[in-house]
Amino acid sequence: MKIAIQGELGSFSHEAAEAMAPRAGIVPCARSAEVFDRLKRGLVDGAVIPIENSLAGSVAEHFDLLLSRDVHIVKELQLRIVHHLIAPPGVKLTSVRRVLSHPVALDQCREFFARNRRLKGEPFYDTAGSVKHVIAEQLGDAAGIASRRAAEVYGGKILKVGIEDDKRNFTRFFLIHRGKARAARKADKTSLAFSVRNTPGALFKALSVFALRDISLSKIESRPVRGRPWEYVFFVDLLRGDDQDSWNALRHLGEVAERLKVLGIYRRA
């Protein structure tokens, strides 16, 4: 079994993939679109993608790809994000002047940079990729911010442990497969996307199908529709799974929505 991830080995996506598919081979991809392309072409059996961070918010590109591609959510995971300062072996903290990492990771370590003003943050395409780079290039004045797994994979030295500002920093990941959504065993959560016509009360009518059946929504957000300016699609998570009320609500929603796609019916993390 092969699982595609966006990013390098040792990234948080790699950690999530190991937790969600322990015996799978991990296939790193440079771009998110490549992850979905490999899945579409059958080159991998599944993919693990970050969908939302508790501090930085949603990964918009992945919501768009979930909507546009023929995939469905199989499982979710909430991974605690711990950032470490990692340098090549032999490099001391006093020698470090540049710190490379993904922009989101840099932003989540503001207090560390405020306490160490000699250090300059430099955006890089990936957390683990930053560690891979500083070690491969043997940079004596640079370190990366990444996970402990990245240090293990690339042979880096952890100079500082847990430098993130907020210790309640979690990222939600999805394991996705090809094809239309089908309910997982003991499913108790549903993710879907829908759009409505721009008429008075349209969104109210759409959401009322859940309120009428006492179905709780844990998330709702809107995304612009490509090619249709000022039109939006709504992404919703329901705290219900494969039961009669849920299916009745979805049928009812299909009657009032302009477009509806069930993204996954799975067990909540």
Side-chain angles (χ1 to χ4, degrees), residues 214-231:
D214 292 325
I215 296 176
S216 178
L217 276 61
S218 61
K219 178 184 178 67
I220 179 170
E221 70 173 89
S222 62
R223 288 280 304 143
V225 178
R226 283 176 175 266
R228 298 168 66 176
W230 319 125
E231 295 187 29

Side-chain angles (χ1 to χ4, degrees), residues 1-5 13 16-18 20-29 35 39 43-49 174-177:
M1 183 179 184
K2 294 182 178 179
I3 298 292
I5 62 168
S13 291
E18 288 183 321
M20 300 173 89
R23 290 175 293 278
I26 308 301
V27 180
C29 301
V35 172
L39 188 55
L43 300 177
V44 293
D45 303 287
V48 167
I49 58 169
F174 285 152
L175 172 63
I176 59 174
H177 285 177

Side-chain angles (χ1 to χ4, degrees), residues 154-174:
Y154 299 110
K157 177 184 178 183
I158 297 178
L159 301 179
K160 286 285 185 178
V161 174
I163 62 172
E164 69 278 3
D165 298 344
D166 194 322
K167 301 307 176 183
R168 292 190 58 79
N169 181 6
F170 295 87
T171 294
R172 181 181 172 212
F173 289 86
F174 285 152

Side-chain angles (χ1 to χ4, degrees), residues 65-71 191-194 259-263:
L65 287 166
L66 283 173
L67 180 62
S68 63
R69 303 299 184 93
D70 183 25
V71 299
S191 292
L192 56 92
F194 69 88
R259 179 186 184 184
L260 170 62
K261 180 180 180 182
V262 178
L263 302 174

Side-chain angles (χ1 to χ4, degrees), residues 77-186:
L77 171 77
Q78 293 183 16
L79 182 69
R80 166 81 163 85
I81 303 300
V82 182
H83 292 307
H84 303 304
L85 186 69
I86 305 168
V91 174
K92 296 182 179 180
L93 181 59
T94 53
S95 302
V96 175
R97 293 294 179 269
R98 299 183 294 138
V99 179
L100 286 63
S101 196
H102 189 279
V104 172
L106 294 174
D107 189 58
Q108 292 176 351
C109 301
R110 291 181 184 177
E111 293 177 12
F112 171 76
F113 283 105
R115 292 192 302 269
N116 298 272
R117 294 190 177 277
R118 76 177 190 283
L119 301 180
K120 178 184 177 183
E122 295 184 10
F124 206 75
Y125 72 92
D126 182 56
T127 53
S130 69
V131 173
K132 179 181 179 181
H133 176 73
V134 299
I135 292 175
E137 298 298 321
Q138 298 182 331
L139 301 180
D141 68 337
I145 292 177
S147 69
R148 181 178 296 275
R149 187 78 175 95
E152 295 169 353
V153 169
Y154 299 110
K157 177 184 178 183
I158 297 178
L159 301 179
K160 286 285 185 178
V161 174
I163 62 172
E164 69 278 3
D165 298 344
D166 194 322
K167 301 307 176 183
R168 292 190 58 79
N169 181 6
F170 295 87
T171 294
R172 181 181 172 212
F173 289 86
F174 285 152
L175 172 63
I176 59 174
H177 285 177
R178 289 185 299 277
K180 295 185 181 301
R182 47 189 179 274
R185 186 171 174 268
K186 296 184 179 180

